[in-house]
Amino acid sequence: MNSNSFRETTILIVDDSPTNLNLLSGFIDNCGWKFLIATHSIQAIKLAELKQPDLILLDVMIPGIDGFETCKKLKLNPQTHDIPIIFMTAVTDKLEKVRGLSIGAVDYITKPFQAEEVIARIKIHLKISYLTQKLLEKNQELEQRVLERTGELSQALEDLKQSQMQLVQSEKMSTLGHLIAGVAHEINNPINFIAGNLNHASIYINDLINHLRLYQNYYPNPDPALIDHADSIDLDYLVEDLPKLISSMKLGTDRISNISISLRTFSRSDTKVQVAFNIHEGLESTLLILKHLLQATDHRPDIKIIKNYGQMPMVECYPGQLNQVFMNLITNAIDALNEASKNLSYQELLQNPNQITISTYLVSNSRAVAISVKDNGTGMSEETKKCAFDYLFTTKPVGKGTGLGLSISRQIIEEIHKGRLLCNSQLGEGSEFIIEIPICKDLEI
């Protein structure tokens, strides 16, 4: 803050001595500042309320109530309590100075006045007042920006939730891949924007906190109003918790970013040519998308996922379509376990937890790969198992299933990938669906 910043500054001088008034007004006028003059306490209080000066030079011994009582009244008045007050006195008693500082004054100037000292003290307290105001403005601006970013993040999370629910419910082959790919792309842009700005917000917050600490170190006896305000907002907790809040928001954006990547992995629409694909990446992306369906509810604990992944080569396939099969099989397993849980207590389910075992291994002399999805639900009867892959066949209530999932899955595996989709199930022992597809499109099982 340079001297030009003080050109419109107004200083109120409160003193009943014409000599002191002339001397101080001369100092102030030479600096290009404006000044107001009051010769007693009542006039000083009225001028302070009306003109709102940037700083007050207040004589301790003035007509009417003394300077200490005048200072108290100014600090109790909401219109004037933020104006810095510098006491002027010929007394050098330390107790008197402590008294003045304790009721809200920011400094003392001792008579006889020295021009350099008066100007230096005025400048530093004008600068402190200016910086304090700027700090408050920056804090308010930062709080607003955090609220805006939080709102954007909440909206992105809500968008993601809706897209996930749409993914789980939709089994239409012609639109599913393109829909999810588009959603993932739209999510990625705001998440990158939020994540980038959170990094800047974290730096700004740390800078402001460090700046605040410097003020606390160099000015350990602040205005009582500042102490009261710090107590009312619980400043220490705010300084401690705000970086944690930003950190948790960063974790949230990382989580959404990972889900966005999984959505793009899941929705690969390689419809014209088969490409090399990592089967385990497809399974992991599907599990991440379905994570919310695996979590505990009021009626059952978490569904456990057991992974028995073998050493697998890259497989030539249509990744988007294969991921849709993984989605259908794992969703069916979750539905079967939810249905089985209705007849068991929460405690029984804790002792014998619901679980889905996913295994991968090589078959047919390593010419093909197998992916097994097995649950420990109630299983299927022979009659149900015979109809499981039939078009529009479903055991779910009306509105809960279309009967398309398994029939479409068989078409993808057997007709498009020249593989096999097998079912093993017995009542009371759960169900297992096994996918077998060639490693290369030119191979046969």
Side-chain angles (χ1 to χ4, degrees):
M1 185 175 182
N2 55 45
S3 59
N4 291 331
S5 303
F6 299 133
R7 290 304 180 188
E8 298 302 317
T9 297
T10 300
I11 297 172
L12 171 60
I13 309 170
V14 185
D15 199 317
D16 62 333
S17 167
T19 301
N20 290 338
L21 290 174
N22 288 334
L23 186 63
L24 291 169
S25 61
F27 295 163
I28 292 168
D29 189 54
N30 288 337
C31 291
W33 303 328
K34 296 180 180 179
F35 61 88
L36 302 169
I37 291 175
T39 57
H40 55 80
S41 58
I42 296 176
Q43 183 186 18
I45 293 170
K46 289 183 178 180
L47 274 175
E49 289 180 348
L50 182 64
K51 299 297 184 178
Q52 292 289 302
D54 298 287
L55 186 141
I56 299 173
L57 295 178
L58 177 59
D59 189 20
V60 171
M61 303 302 297
I62 53 174
I65 59 175
D66 65 16
F68 294 126
E69 291 302 317
T70 302
C71 179
K72 287 181 182 179
K73 289 184 178 293
L74 289 170
K75 291 303 174 182
L76 289 173
N77 188 337
Q79 294 179 279
T80 58
H81 77 279
D82 288 332
I83 302 174
I85 296 175
I86 298 178
F87 273 127
M88 302 181 294
T89 181
V91 180
T92 58
D93 183 8
K94 291 183 179 180
L95 291 177
E96 182 179 272
K97 290 185 176 181
V98 170
R99 179 187 176 192
L101 294 172
S102 67
I103 61 175
V106 297
D107 207 348
Y108 264 86
I109 297 176
T110 304
K111 302 175 184 178
F113 301 125
Q114 299 295 323
E116 293 81 2
E117 179 188 5
V118 172
I119 298 305
R121 290 183 183 274
I122 290 175
K123 281 186 175 181
I124 193 169
H125 289 292
L126 286 174
K127 186 172 184 178
I128 290 172
S129 178
Y130 171 83
L131 291 175
T132 300
Q133 182 60 37
K134 285 296 180 182
L135 181 60
L136 291 173
E137 292 173 1
K138 289 294 183 182
N139 281 338
Q140 293 172 354
E141 179 184 340
L142 184 58
E143 288 173 2
Q144 181 61 34
R145 291 173 64 181
V146 169
L147 287 174
E148 291 172 359
R149 299 294 182 267
T150 303
E152 292 171 358
L153 181 59
S154 297
Q155 185 59 51
L157 285 167
E158 184 62 27
D159 292 344
L160 179 61
K161 179 181 177 182
Q162 293 302 318
S163 69
Q164 287 177 322
M165 292 301 297
Q166 191 172 24
L167 172 65
V168 172
Q169 296 171 357
S170 177
E171 297 174 333
K172 296 182 179 180
M173 291 288 294
S174 60
T175 60
L176 184 58
H178 293 294
L179 172 66
I180 301 171
V183 170
H185 177 73
E186 292 301 320
I187 289 174
N188 199 46
N189 287 336
I191 287 302
N192 287 339
F193 171 76
I194 294 170
N197 280 279
L198 280 176
N199 289 331
H200 291 299
S202 179
I203 294 171
Y204 296 160
I205 288 171
N206 287 332
D207 288 344
L208 287 172
I209 290 174
N210 290 335
H211 197 69
L212 178 61
R213 294 302 188 203
L214 286 175
Y215 269 104
Q216 293 173 330
N217 290 337
Y218 285 101
Y219 302 99
N221 299 309
D223 189 299
L226 293 177
I227 297 175
D228 291 342
H229 184 261
D231 290 339
S232 69
I233 65 173
D234 200 353
L235 182 61
D236 290 338
Y237 174 79
L238 187 150
V239 169
E240 179 184 356
D241 193 61
L242 191 55
K244 295 178 182 178
L245 182 147
I246 294 296
S247 179
S248 66
M249 292 170 69
K250 285 182 178 179
L251 290 176
T253 57
D254 290 342
R255 165 72 175 153
I256 298 173
S257 179
N258 289 335
I259 294 175
S260 177
I261 292 170
S262 294
L263 285 171
R264 292 198 301 273
T265 300
F266 178 84
S267 63
R268 289 179 58 175
S269 54
D270 308 292
T271 57
K272 294 184 179 180
V273 61
Q274 294 187 10
V275 297
F277 181 59
N278 186 324
I279 295 294
H280 295 155
E281 285 185 2
L283 288 168
E284 289 300 314
S285 68
T286 305
L287 288 172
L288 185 58
I289 292 168
L290 293 175
K291 185 175 181 180
H292 66 290
L293 296 179
L294 299 168
Q295 293 172 344
T297 68
D298 294 337
H299 307 293
R300 61 155 177 80
D302 288 335
I303 296 175
K304 298 185 181 300
I305 297 295
I306 300 174
K307 302 174 187 176
N308 296 323
Y309 291 172
Q311 293 293 326
M312 300 282 282
M314 301 290 281
V315 177
E316 289 186 5
C317 64
Y318 299 103
Q321 297 184 33
L322 199 58
N323 283 336
Q324 290 167 7
V325 175
F326 297 159
M327 173 71 72
N328 288 337
L329 297 185
I330 297 172
T331 301
N332 281 347
I334 294 171
D335 291 341
L337 292 172
N338 285 335
E339 187 66 24
S341 298
K342 292 180 180 179
N343 301 321
L344 299 172
S345 68
Y346 207 97
Q347 190 61 37
E348 288 175 320
L349 291 170
L350 285 174
Q351 294 174 353
N352 298 291
N354 291 326
Q355 62 185 42
I356 299 173
T357 302
I358 302 176
S359 305
T360 61
Y361 47 93
L362 295 172
V363 295
S364 300
N365 296 322
S366 300
R367 295 166 62 87
V369 297
I371 303 99
S372 165
V373 178
K374 183 178 181 180
D375 66 70
N376 64 338
T378 56
M380 294 182 285
S381 66
E382 284 298 317
E383 291 75 18
T384 300
K385 188 168 65 172
K386 290 178 181 177
C387 302
F389 296 101
D390 291 352
Y391 181 69
L392 297 182
F393 176 81
T394 180
T395 60
K396 300 174 183 177
V398 176
K400 297 294 184 179
T402 62
L404 294 174
L406 287 177
S407 62
I408 290 174
S409 296
R410 171 167 274 184
Q411 180 187 37
I412 292 172
I413 297 303
E414 298 187 356
E415 296 183 18
I416 298 177
H417 288 88
K418 309 304 178 184
R420 293 188 296 179
L421 180 56
L422 309 173
C423 175
N424 297 321
S425 182
Q426 292 184 5
L427 277 175
E429 296 184 11
S431 302
E432 179 184 22
F433 289 87
I434 303 171
I435 302 167
E436 294 182 0
I437 59 172
I439 292 174
C440 298
K441 60 182 179 180
D442 297 327
L443 295 177
E444 294 181 0
I445 296 178

